[in-house]
Structures are given as structure tokens and as C-alpha cells.
Amino acid sequence: MFTNYLRTALRSMTKNKLYSSLNILGLAVGLAVALVIGLWAYYQYSFDRFLPGYANCYQVRYKVNIGGDIQTINATALPLAEALKREIPEVRYAVHTDYTAAHGLVAGANQLYLPGIGAGADFLQLFRYKLLRGDAVTSLTDRYSIVVSASTAKALFGNEDVIGKLVRIDNEHDLKVTAVMADLPDNATLKFSYILPLSYKVNEAQGHWGYNVFETFVALQPGTDYARVAPRLKSILQKYSPDEYSAVKAEVFLQPMKDWHLFTDFKNGVAVGGMIDYVRLFLIIGVLVLAIACINFMNLCIARGERRAKEVGIRKAIGGRRINLIVQFLTETVLLVLVAFFVALVLVQLSLPWFSEITGCQLSVPYGSGMFWLTMLGYVLFTGVLAGARPAFYLSGFRPVKVLKGKLNSWRSASWPAKILVIAQFSCSIALISSTIIVYQQIEHARDRAAGYDIDRLMTTDMGGSLRQNYPALRNDLLASGLVSAVTRADGGTTTIRSWWGVDQWPGKQPNDNLAMATVFVDEAYFKTLGMKLVAGREFAAADTGSTVAGSGMAGGQGDAGNQGTSGAGSAAGTGNMAGPVGSVIINEAAARRLRLSSPLNQYIVMNGGQWKLRVVGVVKDALMLSPYSPAEPTFFLNR
């Protein structure tokens, strides 16, 4: 019976080549668009799931109350790991890391400048990355050791056995290679080329509560329900350091690894969005495109209803049952969809390199995966039934007597569902066109929006140990070259804010006001180099820096706004040996509004637990240092 259905379907397709080609092409385009979007969405959902035990891994975050605004930061204090293991028996591992930073690596004649992280000794037991050589337990216990990726090892030493080899870092120390791990896949949230022991990068002044410049990760015992652990986490900060955390009602909570990539935006301490918003949006677009293709197929089938009416009438007259006709038409549809699917695969293969380039995701069709083909089989059957259901029931419903007497009404007047399909098709098309226009306008708005600084001819680079030590000579040589008009340095890139510091006192502060202000440390040439305009006051002068003071307080890390920018180390704004107490501060217009200062010049602001008393010497125009879709972040600029 099925063979007969298939033979009849093939005969119908070959007999009506133009009609079949139109249907196949329309379905193929819809299937290709939906498949590309599906591959992209699957890639986004796949982040970090390559790691064994990912379901038990979490990142520690703080929830703090800043003036009634609940903010979330991922910068934590160094003593937290031991406190978590002591207070929560379900915590199997607790590990600190610093933020990713680039360092110079030298081995023989080979010199590299690559990003790496500092991590606690249990890092490779918590994150079970594949090790090609070495031991996960002991590889980070020696302060002067280094774990390198396979590609980094090859770039430094070629095909030699690298275990025990020495790598010079930042032209300061020799580190011994203790392990080699496989290169991280593209769908890893944490990306680095090597791991340094955190003990190599941390000094004694950084190991106290309130100095929040590290990221903390934990692995719970297998089978642990996070809901049982969450209530006991809330009071840890105020138990161990009430002076630092009580004022802002700081609480600890954990974000599971499966959400790190998709949920980066927080509201009131709850993950509410991020990349997941784009994934859902594009999935909706994929569904709409596929729906348009299916509706178009249905309408074409119904439009040909009169041409197949006699076939239906004759088959019914000689005893054919309606269920047989329905199966016959569905078989034809599924066969058309199957052909369209293979055409769609060709279109997908041709478009993936371009799509991967514009999205920054290395996508590919997993031809070798049995699960992929099983999913695609369901995809084809679902699309075939969806596209063919209405035509099958419509065509099989013709009455043989009326058909053979030629009294069949035109499909346009006889089938109100067909009219609904046409309206639905146009509605989906209008929705897609409207959405495209809106998204395009938003992108153009962000592109044309005044950044607040001059990006033309502006270049930036990270400063490793040697560059930091020789910065005056580097600056002088650049200026003397005649190719450079201005040089400056800061604790982060132009589109990066690395730290938020608590503000203790300012004119007009209300009793319940608590503020954490984005803080950028710069030198005197910063505003001139970036082309940022002052609306009042003056720029920094060399005399604005003072003696040395150790930093403390609720420092560091990324808050809600920080999740939209480049991940950075709060340590840049909170190291001990920081220039201070800083006597002068320049604020942007957004900060003046946040502080409710109508005349901010020469007003005094106290920060960092009372250690810094700052005088406002200038107000600079707002600049978009984070997302171009969000308002300018209220920011303090301090002279180091």
C-alpha cells in the first residue's frame, strides 16, 4: 500500500514539474532559514556543557542594595572560598580566579602575548578540562608553575615534551610547565590560553574581606539540590564581615553554569535576560519563516484543488476511502518536504561561512551525528504534516457527484479556511518586515549615537609588566615619532568599566542613600587623547595625585551594567599601592545627576570607607563606555 502511495506521489511530482519546483524552492528556503537559526540557537544553548559535571558548577555572586536599587556583582573577596566550605558542607570545591588578562610569555626565541587567568589550586578539579599531560590535583600547587593549552605549548616549544620546561612571564619570573590541557572549544564561557596559580598573582594586602576583586566558583556535591543550600548562603557576608557588608545588605547567591552564557542581565538579584533574549527572538523568527513557507505551500495546493478534483471524484466513485486519500496527499507532501530538505541543506552549507562570520560563531552541520539525522527526520515529518494537513483534508473532502457533474465551487469562495491562511501568511510577513525595520532602526540609532569620545585614529593595547615599567619612555618615543598626537593610559579600555566603588558622603545625601559609582583611573592626558569634552571645570594636573593608600571597601567587579561591557578586573581600581588619597575627581554629567548636584564644581565627595576625600574639579560630557543601547553610566574619573 505504501509503495503505491509513494509511486503515485512521484508520478504527481514529475507530471507537474513547475508546480513541484515552486513548492520545493519555497519550502527549501523556509527550511534553510529555520535550520540555520536552529543551529545557531543550539550553539548558544551548548555553552559549557562539554565539561563533565557542569550541572554541579556555579559562580558566586553578590546581591547588594545600593540606594534601594538591588545590584548584582560577580566580584568577591578572597576569604569567601574557605568560608563557603566551612559553612556549607555541600560545597565540594570553592575556587577563586582573577579576571582574564594578557601577559607576555617567552620560551627561547618564541615570544607570545596571550590571555590567561590566575586560579586556585583546585581549579582543574572543579573545571574538569581535558588534560593531555599532567595532574589536575597538583598542577597549580607550586606558586611558580603554569598550565598551558595545547596550542600555546606548540607555539612556545614546537613538538617537544613541554612538561618541566620553563616559560618566562612578563620578563620577570620563570614558571615551570606542569600540565597541558586541550584547547578550549568555542562554546566555553571562560576563555584563556594558560592558567597561573593565584598565589603567584595575589599579594597579602588582597586577602581580606571587603576587597572584592576576584571571581569565585563552586562545585556542589553530586545530587545536591541548590534550593537546600540557598538560604544558608545569604548571611555569610554579614556573619564574617558585618562592617563591610551590612550597610548594603549584601547576600551571596549562586548562578548555575548552564546559565552563565545565556543569562547575564540581572534585576533585583534575579537573572532575567541576556543572550537568551536574542535566542528566543531568532527562534520566533525561524518559526515565522517556516510558517510562511508552510502556508504558502498549503495555498498553492488548495489553488490546484480544481485540477485534482476529477482525480478525487473518480477515486471516490470506484470505492476509494477518504482516509486513503488523506494518506496519499500527506505522502506527497512529505516527499516534497524531503526533497526540499536536501535542497535546504545545500543552501545552509553555502550560507554557513557567511553566517558564522557575521555572528562570530563557528557553526557547522553535524552530518556525523545520529541524533542530528533523527531530529531532522522528525523535522521533515512535522513540516510535511503541518504543510500538508489542510490540503489533504480539503482535497479529500470533494463530493464525487458534484465533481463529476462539474459543479465544484471555486476554492476562493468555497474554502474560508484558505482565506484565513492567506491572511495569516500576510500577517506573518508584515510582522517579519516590521520587526526587521525596527531592529535596523535600533542598530542605526546605536551606530549614529554620539559616543562622547572621538574613535577616529584611536588605538589601544594592553600594558604588560614591561610596558608598565617603561611607560614614560614608550610615551615619549611615540610622541617623538610624529605619527602619534597624544598618549594616555587607564585601568581599562575605552569601552570598559572595571570597578564600582562605594560613595560614603556627598552634598545632599539622604539618610538611606547608598551608592556604588563606576570608577575609572586615568592619567592627565586621558580626556585630550580620547577627545572627551569638559562642560565645566578643568582636566587633571600632575599635582592632583597624592601619597599612597591601600584600597578597601565594596570595590571591584562587574555590576548589572558591567555585564554589558568587557569583563575586567576590579583589582585595577583597588590594588594596595594605589596613588592616593586622591584629592581630585572629574565626574560625568550622569554622575552629577545621580548625586543630585546642580553645581558640582568644588563639591567634596568621600569614598572608600572614608579613606578618600575628593574635590570635584571638572565635569565631562557623558560617554558610552558600556552598551550603546543604554544610558551613559554615572562615572567618576580619578587621577592615578
Side-chain angles (χ1 to χ4, degrees):
M1 179 67 72
F2 179 75
T3 304
N4 183 58
Y5 290 150
L6 189 60
R7 188 163 45 244
T8 304
L10 287 171
R11 188 184 304 121
S12 175
M13 286 176 58
T14 55
K15 182 180 178 181
N16 304 282
K17 294 184 178 62
L18 179 60
Y19 163 78
S20 298
S21 299
L22 288 174
N23 260 341
I24 289 172
L25 183 60
L27 280 171
V29 172
L31 288 168
V33 171
L35 183 55
V36 168
I37 290 176
L39 289 172
W40 178 81
Y42 177 78
Y43 175 84
Q44 302 302 329
Y45 275 106
S46 71
F47 264 70
D48 298 317
R49 305 199 180 209
F50 64 90
L51 272 174
Y54 78 90
N56 297 318
C57 294
Y58 297 80
Q59 180 169 16
V60 181
R61 295 184 180 272
Y62 289 172
K63 182 166 60 176
V64 295
N65 188 322
I66 306 297
D69 179 23
I70 306 299
Q71 296 185 8
T72 300
I73 60 175
N74 62 8
T76 59
L78 201 59
L80 180 63
E82 290 303 319
L84 287 171
K85 288 189 285 188
R86 187 162 47 248
E87 296 291 330
I88 313 293
E90 291 87 349
V91 172
R92 185 180 184 185
Y93 299 110
V95 176
H96 291 296
T97 71
D98 63 0
Y99 293 85
T100 304
H103 297 273
L105 304 179
V106 178
N110 298 317
Q111 302 182 37
L112 304 175
Y113 192 68
L114 296 172
I117 62 169
D122 291 338
F123 181 81
L124 290 175
Q125 297 182 78
L126 193 157
F127 294 98
R128 293 155 59 185
Y129 297 112
K130 182 180 179 181
L131 289 185
L132 305 178
R133 295 291 309 278
D135 180 43
V137 177
T138 61
S139 57
L140 291 171
T141 53
D142 183 359
R143 180 182 180 186
Y144 293 99
S145 61
I146 184 173
V147 176
V148 297
S149 67
S151 59
T152 303
K154 186 174 181 62
L156 288 171
F157 299 101
N159 295 321
E160 299 179 27
D161 181 5
V162 302
I163 299 299
K165 299 281 187 180
L166 296 180
V167 177
R168 190 151 187 89
I169 184 168
D170 290 337
N171 201 29
E172 293 178 346
H173 298 101
D174 290 325
L175 307 180
K176 183 171 68 174
V177 177
T178 54
V180 179
M181 65 180 190
D183 289 340
L184 297 178
D186 292 330
N187 58 344
T189 300
L190 299 180
K191 292 183 171 65
F192 47 86
S193 298
Y194 53 89
I195 309 170
L196 304 173
L198 194 62
S199 58
Y200 171 78
K201 304 185 74 175
V202 173
N203 59 50
E204 184 177 349
Q206 295 171 308
H208 61 80
W209 290 100
Y211 193 78
N212 300 287
V213 296
F214 302 97
E215 292 189 283
T216 305
F217 303 93
V218 302
L220 299 181
Q221 298 287 354
T224 300
D225 183 5
Y226 172 63
R228 291 193 299 127
V229 175
R232 286 176 282 160
L233 294 169
K234 294 182 178 180
S235 60
I236 287 180
L237 294 177
Q238 296 185 41
K239 175 180 179 180
Y240 281 88
S241 186
D243 293 340
E244 301 286 353
Y245 300 106
S246 293
V248 292
K249 302 177 182 178
E251 296 180 0
V252 168
F253 71 97
L254 307 181
Q255 185 185 27
M257 178 183 278
K258 65 181 180 65
D259 292 341
W260 291 355
H261 176 69
L262 294 174
F263 293 89
T264 54
D265 295 340
F266 291 81
K267 185 175 181 179
N268 294 325
V270 178
V272 295
M275 178 58 72
I276 188 65
D277 297 326
Y278 296 98
V279 172
R280 289 167 178 166
L281 173 63
F282 278 97
L283 285 176
I284 291 172
I285 290 174
V287 170
L288 287 176
V289 170
L290 187 59
I292 290 173
C294 290
I295 294 172
N296 184 65
F297 179 88
M298 295 179 195
N299 288 337
L300 285 174
C301 288
I302 295 173
R304 290 184 69 248
E306 294 181 12
R307 297 190 60 182
R308 304 200 66 174
K310 289 185 178 180
E311 174 192 344
V312 173
I314 292 172
R315 293 182 65 172
K316 280 194 169 184
I318 62 177
R321 294 186 300 168
R322 186 179 186 187
I323 184 63
N324 300 118
L325 292 170
I326 291 174
V327 174
Q328 172 64 53
F329 292 130
L330 287 178
T331 302
E332 290 183 19
T333 303
V334 171
L335 186 61
L336 279 171
V337 174
L338 185 62
V339 176
F341 170 72
F342 286 105
V343 175
L345 279 182
V346 175
L347 296 176
V348 169
Q349 198 62 50
L350 292 173
S351 63
L352 272 185
W354 170 79
F355 187 79
S356 297
E357 182 178 351
I358 64 172
T359 60
C361 306
Q362 297 304 311
L363 304 180
S364 62
V365 180
Y367 293 111
S369 171
M371 181 59 67
F372 168 76
W373 290 110
L374 188 62
T375 303
M376 290 302 100
L377 177 61
Y379 183 42
V380 168
L381 291 175
F382 172 78
T383 305
V385 172
L386 179 66
R390 174 57 194 162
F393 282 97
Y394 172 74
L395 297 176
S396 64
F398 290 158
R399 295 184 180 181
V401 175
K402 288 188 176 182
V403 170
L404 296 177
K405 287 183 177 182
K407 296 182 178 180
L408 183 67
N409 290 328
S410 170
W411 73 277
R412 294 178 180 83
S413 59
S415 180
W416 62 264
K419 298 177 182 179
I420 293 177
L421 289 176
V422 172
I423 295 172
Q425 184 179 21
F426 276 99
S427 298
C428 291
S429 301
I430 292 171
L432 280 177
I433 293 171
S434 301
S435 300
T436 302
I437 293 173
I438 292 171
V439 170
Y440 175 78
Q441 290 175 336
Q442 290 178 330
I443 294 173
E444 286 300 301
H445 168 71
R447 179 180 298 172
D448 298 336
R449 187 178 178 189
Y453 47 83
D454 185 5
I455 65 172
D456 185 35
R457 299 176 293 110
L458 185 65
M459 301 182 69
T460 184
T461 184
D462 291 326
M463 291 186 23
S466 297
L467 286 182
R468 283 197 304 270
Q469 296 168 11
N470 298 284
Y471 173 74
L474 173 66
R475 179 192 58 204
N476 294 337
D477 285 349
L478 287 171
L479 293 173
S481 70
L483 301 174
V484 175
S485 59
V487 182
T488 190
R489 58 179 170 174
D491 68 339
T494 308
T495 56
T496 303
I497 295 176
R498 293 178 177 255
S499 60
W500 276 254
W501 288 81
V503 184
D504 304 306
Q505 297 291 333
W506 68 93
K509 177 186 177 182
Q510 301 298 317
N512 295 324
D513 281 347
N514 290 306
L515 286 181
M517 195 69 67
T519 307
V520 180
F521 289 81
V522 303
D523 69 8
E524 304 91 82
Y526 184 79
F527 301 106
K528 172 188 173 183
T529 305
L530 269 65
M532 296 176 67
K533 306 298 183 183
L534 267 72
V535 296
R538 61 172 176 83
E539 297 185 9
F540 287 124
D544 288 322
T545 59
S547 58
T548 299
V549 63
S552 64
M554 275 295 295
Q558 294 173 277
D560 291 334
N563 287 315
Q564 303 169 21
T566 304
S567 175
S571 56
T575 55
N577 301 328
M578 182 182 67
V582 184
S584 301
V585 61
I586 294 175
I587 66 177
N588 66 356
E589 296 169 305
R593 291 191 296 270
R594 174 73 64 85
L595 297 173
R596 300 186 296 274
L597 297 177
S598 57
S599 301
L601 287 184
N602 297 316
Q603 301 286 357
Y604 284 89
I605 297 170
V606 178
M607 296 179 65
N608 190 19
Q611 296 190 56
W612 301 343
K613 185 174 183 180
L614 312 174
R615 183 170 64 92
V616 179
V617 298
V619 180
V620 69
K621 289 186 68 67
D622 288 338
L624 302 179
M625 302 185 69
L626 295 176
S627 171
Y629 299 98
S630 302
E633 183 74 10
T635 307
F636 285 179
F637 298 91
L638 296 131
N639 185 224
R640 297 192 69 165

